[in-house]
């Protein structure tokens, strides 16, 4: 049987890799990719705690479904922002977006 | 080493490897495709955790919608056909250090908890997770309010995304 | 249980017995038998695929008042084999500048996304790959992987036209998933579950009689998901050459083409399962699972024939017309239909079966008629607006 620790370590590893992606990538879309990895790590944690706790308490799965919806909404708006910025400034490299007003 | 453990080790290693490639590959379309592989690995993990409905919803929502949205956005924001420039910015070592510290900190904190190595209890027969989930999401004693608020959030995101990306010609 | 009642279990037990007799571990023997079963199923599906190529060419020929292939073998039955040999011996070209790994994986993913659909198709009451209780969502998930393979194919070909074709096809596929999901909820409401086997077992009266509008919307959305005419704007030979697969030749193109035909056959099967009773036919499937298989394959063939009939009768639709049709007509109608069906189901749940059936059919007819009236009045207003702006040609004599 798989102990809970394996799932938690997997989720922690995925979260750290996503964190590295957010902090170290230049392209704005790639930063959003890192955010997606972090959200998935959180979801694994939620479902693992649901399974290894009291499975009649549906809070774990409900929270995961809400995270799905929130992640979809955030990706949609985030990518719309990135495309809109690209149309104005013709760049999506995060370092080059350094003006407060243009 | 039961079969379940072997499957978990293989899938977990594949997921972590795909995630690592997502954040290091230079070509963004490849990064998006590696994200698809990582999301698929997560869906298999959900199946191992007896959350089959969540696994299928993960494939439909994340791979079928969000990953495709990423690929579209990558293709629409290229200055030229090939990606130029480095993949990582000049402070990437600080990011790597912070990521390693986060991982070490999380594992250190968790292993002091006495439930860390607990094994799963068997699922009682006749337990239909989908049925229970549906009941929880729609019952007033359950989570119908967050469910409805999530739908309002999605409506707001829909309107916002359309307005932001609208080409006012 | 004997062979007549449960052929698969008998065969599986016999094979497991042989493997364990050879000294293999119990779990390994079971896994190996499962793999062999999957392999046999895929083999049978690919053979059906070959026959589908022949059926397609003969049927399109008859629709177009000609004979179709009739030289190779009786009635042209050897023709698909000749096609396959031709595709296999063609040169394996990878365009210069194409992304090699993605380019080569895309056809495999496309074929894979069709083959895994058959894991949830119940061929008989006891013969199905896996009795998922979320079978309907699994279909959508497999469709998502197919969508991904089309983007990969279009982008990796390093060709602007294939990128445009792939974008259009993917925009169409993800748009039409919305009414398809909504309409798939209607058999779920009737049966109380998303599992395929449960839906079939609950169809004491075929769901096409309970909700004809849902069957129609599912057919339209399925044809759009398949990328077949009248929604084949990405393969419009007169527009974009061949859309996303313009750079593919040889067996890779064969994978896309055969995958599309098998996909159409599979969705004909799903139409039969969801709305026409699946493997049930007045109790014939209780006699033996073999009859069940024959019944469901016949229904899948009839569904496939309807899809071909639509393809070779209707004209192609433009991308903006098609997206407007989806978002302004199909999606609102399907949502309203789901709400009305749920309401009627809750109201009439305890009533007798004839009252239930009449109530449902009436609700469907009203929803369909009201939506058509709205579209008709909007169309009339648009026509009057356009004709009111008649060009000033009469001024010049």
């Amino acid at each position: 049987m798989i102990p809970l620790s394996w799932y938690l370590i997997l989720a922690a590893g995925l979260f750290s890799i996503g964190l590295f992606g957010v902090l170290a990538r230049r392209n704005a879309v790639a930063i959003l990719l890192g955010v997606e990895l972090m959200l998935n790590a959180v979801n694994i944690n939620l479902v693992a705690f649901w399974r290894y706790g009291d499975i009649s308490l549906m809070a774990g799965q409900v929270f995961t479904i809400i995270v799905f919806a929130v992640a979809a909404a955030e990706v949609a708006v985030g990518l719309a922002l990135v495309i809109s910025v690209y149309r104005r400034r013709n760049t999506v490299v995060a370092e080059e977006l350094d003006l407060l007003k243009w | 080493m039961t079969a379940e453990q072997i499957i978990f080790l293989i899938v977990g290693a594949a997921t972590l490897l795909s995630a690592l490639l997502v954040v290091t590959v230079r070509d963004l379309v490849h990064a998006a495709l590696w994200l698809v592989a990582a999301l698929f690995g997560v869906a298999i993990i959900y199946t191992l955790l007896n959350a089959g409905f969540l696994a299928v919803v993960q494939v439909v929502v994340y791979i079928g919608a969000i990953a495709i949205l990423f690929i579209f956005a990558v293709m629409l924001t290229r200055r030229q056909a090939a990606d130029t420039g480095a993949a990582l910015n000049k402070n990437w070592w600080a990011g790597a250090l912070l990521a390693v510290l986060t991982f070490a900190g999380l594992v250190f904190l968790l292993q002091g908890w006495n439930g860390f190595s607990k094994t799963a209890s068997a699922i009682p027969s006749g337990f239909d997770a989908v049925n229970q989930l549906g009941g929880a999401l729609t019952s007033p004693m359950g989570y119908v309010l967050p469910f409805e608020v999530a739908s309002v959030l999605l409506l707001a995101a829909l309107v916002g995304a359309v307005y932001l990306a609208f080409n006012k010609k | 249980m004997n062979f007549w009642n449960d052929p698969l279990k008998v065969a599986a037990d016999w094979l497991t017995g042989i493997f364990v007799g050879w000294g293999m571990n119990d779990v390994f023997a079971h896994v190996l038998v499962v793999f062999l079963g999957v392999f046999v199923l895929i083999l049978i599906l690919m053979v059906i695929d070959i026959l589908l190529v022949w059926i397609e060419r003969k049927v399109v020929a008859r629709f177009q008042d000609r004979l179709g292939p009739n030289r190779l073998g009786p009635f042209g039955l050897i023709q698909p084999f000749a096609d396959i040999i031709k595709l296999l011996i063609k040169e394996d070209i990878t365009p210069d500048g194409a992304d090699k790994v993605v380019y080569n994986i895309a056809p495999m993913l496309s074929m894979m996304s069709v083959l895994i659909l058959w894991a949830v198709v119940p061929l008989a009451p006891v013969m199905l790959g896996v009795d998922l209780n979320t079978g309907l969502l699994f279909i959508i998930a497999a469709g998502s992987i197919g969508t991904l393979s089309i983007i990969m194919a279009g982008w990796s070909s390093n060709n602007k036209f294939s990128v445009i074709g792939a974008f259009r096809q993917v925009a169409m596929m993800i748009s039409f998933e919305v009414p398809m999901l909504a309409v798939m909820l209607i058999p779920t409401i009737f049966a109380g579950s998303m599992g395929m086997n449960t839906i079939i077992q609950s169809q004491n009266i075929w769901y096409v009689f309970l909700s004809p509008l849902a069957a129609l919307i599912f057919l339209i959305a399925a044809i759009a998901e398949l990328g077949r005419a009248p929604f084949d704007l990405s393969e419009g030979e007169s527009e974009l050459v061949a859309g996303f697969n313009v750079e593919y030749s040889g067996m890779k193109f064969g994978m896309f083409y055969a995958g599309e035909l098998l996909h159409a056959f599979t969705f004909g099967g799903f139409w039969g399962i969801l709305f026409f009773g699946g493997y049930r036919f007045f109790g014939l499937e209780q006699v033996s699972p073999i009859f069940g298989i024959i019944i469901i394959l016949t229904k899948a063939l009839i569904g496939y024939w309807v899809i071909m009939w639509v393809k070779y009768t209707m004209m192609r639709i433009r991308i903006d017309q098609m997206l407007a049709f989806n978002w302004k007509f199909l999606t609102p109608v399907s949502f309203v239909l789901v709400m009305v069906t749920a309401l009627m189901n809750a109201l009439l749940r305890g009533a007798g079966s004839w009252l239930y059936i009449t109530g449902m059919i009436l609700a469907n007819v009203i929803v369909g008629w009201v939506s058509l009236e709205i579209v008709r009045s909007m169309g009339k207003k648009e026509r009057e607006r356009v004709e009111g702006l008649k060009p000033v040609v009469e001024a010049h004599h």
Side-chain angles (χ1 to χ4, degrees):
Chain A
M1 302 312 295
I2 305 180
L4 176 60
S5 53
W6 290 18
Y7 288 109
L8 297 183
I9 295 179
L10 172 69
L14 208 54
F15 187 83
S16 319
I17 295 177
L19 185 63
F20 171 65
V22 169
L23 292 175
R25 288 281 250 172
R26 286 173 85 224
N27 197 314
V29 179
I31 295 178
L32 285 171
L33 285 173
V35 173
E36 283 309 305
L37 284 176
M38 290 202 278
L39 287 168
N40 271 288
V42 165
N43 273 341
I44 296 182
N45 249 339
L46 285 168
V47 179
F49 277 119
W50 165 77
R51 175 69 175 90
Y52 283 74
D54 185 2
I55 55 173
S56 60
L57 288 179
M58 275 292 150
Q61 288 208 13
V62 169
F63 203 155
T64 310
I65 292 204
I66 306 283
V67 171
F68 279 154
V70 169
E74 166 236 337
V75 163
V77 175
L79 287 177
L81 277 172
V82 166
I83 292 181
S84 167
V85 162
Y86 176 77
R87 283 198 191 133
R88 287 287 296 231
R89 299 266 291 161
N90 210 25
T91 176
V92 281
V93 176
E95 306 174 321
E96 298 179 11
L97 302 170
D98 54 359
L99 296 175
L100 272 181
K101 185 177 183 329
W102 59 72
Chain B
M1 262 310 178
T2 68
E4 211 176 305
Q5 292 183 341
I6 298 180
I7 294 179
F8 176 84
L9 285 176
I10 297 177
V11 171
T15 307
L16 285 176
L17 183 67
S18 309
L20 210 55
L21 285 168
V22 169
V23 297
T24 48
V25 163
R26 207 175 88 167
D27 184 4
L28 271 186
V29 181
H30 283 174
L33 290 176
W34 283 118
L35 181 73
V36 170
L39 295 173
F40 205 71
V42 173
I44 302 180
I45 301 275
Y46 288 157
T47 320
L48 280 174
L49 283 168
N50 295 111
F53 180 73
L54 284 183
V56 187
V57 171
Q58 161 97 354
V59 175
V60 172
V61 168
Y62 266 106
I63 298 182
I66 294 184
I68 293 187
L69 192 53
F70 267 114
I71 296 181
F72 268 64
V74 163
M75 290 183 193
L76 286 175
T77 54
R78 308 175 138 218
R79 248 184 293 191
Q80 55 227 44
D83 285 309
T84 53
L88 307 173
N89 58 26
K90 63 179 173 8
N91 290 323
W92 65 272
W93 48 270
L97 187 63
L98 205 56
V100 169
L101 282 179
T102 308
F103 179 67
L106 278 171
V107 173
F108 173 69
L109 279 174
L110 281 173
Q111 56 106 11
W113 174 53
N114 65 345
F116 192 49
S117 304
K118 99 166 111 162
T119 53
S121 49
I123 293 196
S125 72
F127 177 77
D128 192 0
V130 183
N131 215 340
Q132 298 275 333
L133 182 62
L137 278 176
T138 51
S139 84
M141 291 298 118
Y143 302 95
V144 67
L145 191 56
F147 186 55
E148 300 297 332
V149 170
S151 61
V152 173
L153 171 73
L154 283 172
L155 177 66
L158 177 70
V159 172
V162 169
Y163 178 73
L164 278 173
F166 197 63
N167 225 344
K168 305 181 195 58
K169 284 258 171 66
Chain C
M1 104 209 110
N2 49 358
F3 185 74
W4 192 237
N5 268 343
D6 204 348
L8 272 194
K9 191 143 172 34
V10 166
D13 284 340
W14 173 69
L15 270 177
T16 320
I18 292 187
F19 286 139
V20 169
W22 287 348
M24 209 185 280
N25 191 3
D26 222 359
V27 173
F28 278 150
H30 181 68
V31 168
L32 193 57
V33 167
V34 166
F35 267 116
L36 277 178
V38 169
F39 188 61
V40 166
L41 178 66
I42 293 182
L43 265 183
I44 297 178
L45 283 175
M46 297 310 254
V47 170
I48 292 181
D49 207 356
I50 297 176
L51 288 177
L52 286 178
V53 174
W54 175 78
I55 292 175
E56 171 106 13
R57 291 182 66 165
K58 275 301 208 184
V59 167
V60 62
R62 295 295 165 147
F63 271 116
Q64 294 170 350
D65 204 15
R66 54 186 173 92
L67 282 178
N70 57 357
R71 282 188 185 271
L72 289 164
F75 296 110
L77 273 170
I78 315 282
Q79 178 71 41
F81 294 98
D83 278 339
I84 291 181
I85 296 179
K86 176 201 82 166
L87 286 174
L88 280 172
I89 63 180
K90 265 196 179 186
E91 183 188 353
D92 197 16
I93 303 177
T94 308
D96 193 26
D99 202 344
K100 285 196 177 26
V101 177
V102 179
Y103 181 80
N104 285 313
I105 289 187
M108 288 191 261
L109 264 188
S110 171
M111 185 56 113
M112 181 200 96
S113 78
V114 177
L115 288 174
I116 59 174
L117 279 175
W118 284 87
V120 289
V121 170
L123 298 169
V126 294
M127 284 168 75
L128 69 163
V130 50
D131 195 3
L132 275 186
N133 64 351
T134 54
L136 283 183
L137 272 186
F138 186 83
I139 300 175
I140 307 281
S144 313
I145 302 185
T147 311
L148 197 68
S149 79
I150 292 180
I151 283 199
M152 285 167 64
W155 171 79
S156 66
S157 304
N158 199 21
N159 181 341
K160 287 188 183 46
F161 294 108
S162 68
V163 170
I164 297 178
F167 268 25
R168 285 189 187 177
Q169 173 100 345
V170 167
M172 181 178 72
M173 284 170 89
I174 58 178
S175 305
F176 277 89
E177 272 177 12
V178 176
M180 190 154 87
L181 262 177
V183 163
M184 273 181 180
L185 283 179
I186 293 181
T188 312
I189 293 176
F190 290 144
S193 159
M194 279 193 281
M196 294 294 207
N197 226 354
T198 318
I199 290 181
I200 296 183
Q201 298 288 30
S202 317
Q203 283 192 43
N204 292 321
I205 177 159
W206 287 357
Y207 287 161
V208 68
F209 298 124
L210 282 184
S211 189
L213 192 56
L216 185 62
I217 295 181
F218 182 77
L219 186 66
I220 297 176
I223 294 181
E225 274 289 309
L226 298 168
R228 286 176 73 91
F231 301 110
D232 64 346
L233 35 84
S234 79
E235 298 172 353
E237 276 91 10
S238 53
E239 296 179 9
L240 280 179
V241 190
F244 62 91
N245 50 11
V246 66
E247 293 281 353
Y248 283 93
S249 63
M251 204 53 200
K252 295 183 210 159
F253 170 73
M255 284 273 150
F256 276 121
Y257 183 62
E260 181 184 316
L261 293 184
L262 192 60
H263 207 179
F265 183 70
T266 312
F267 266 96
F270 282 132
W271 201 46
I273 290 176
L274 287 177
F275 293 102
F276 288 95
Y279 52 67
R280 288 176 68 163
F281 191 69
F282 304 118
L284 198 56
E285 80 283 358
Q286 305 289 356
V287 177
S288 164
I290 311 218
F291 284 141
I293 300 180
I294 297 179
I295 292 171
I296 194 170
L297 286 182
T298 313
K299 289 188 186 171
L301 267 180
I302 295 178
Y304 180 57
W305 188 82
V306 170
I307 293 179
M308 276 197 291
W309 186 16
V310 170
K311 169 169 179 158
Y312 294 117
T313 314
M314 299 190 61
M315 306 173 296
R316 187 175 303 136
I317 302 185
R318 236 173 39 218
I319 176 90
D320 57 325
Q321 292 171 336
M322 192 198 60
L323 289 175
F325 173 65
N326 177 48
W327 291 113
K328 296 184 188 172
F329 181 69
L330 267 192
T331 308
V333 168
S334 59
F335 283 163
V336 166
L337 188 63
V338 170
M339 288 194 282
V340 165
T341 308
L343 187 64
M344 298 292 288
N345 185 44
L347 284 176
L348 296 175
R349 201 190 329 235
S353 79
W354 278 113
L355 186 58
Y356 193 80
I357 296 171
T358 339
M360 281 296 173
I361 295 185
L362 211 55
N364 269 278
V365 165
I366 291 179
V367 168
W369 185 63
V370 166
S371 54
L372 277 180
E373 278 301 314
I374 294 178
V375 170
R376 202 177 292 165
S377 75
M378 284 171 65
K380 197 157 81 149
K381 247 183 294 188
E382 179 77 9
R383 240 173 301 149
E384 283 165 9
R385 184 189 71 95
V386 168
E387 281 169 16
L389 317 164
K390 260 197 169 31
V392 201
V393 185
E394 302 100 58
H396 310 275
H397 290 313

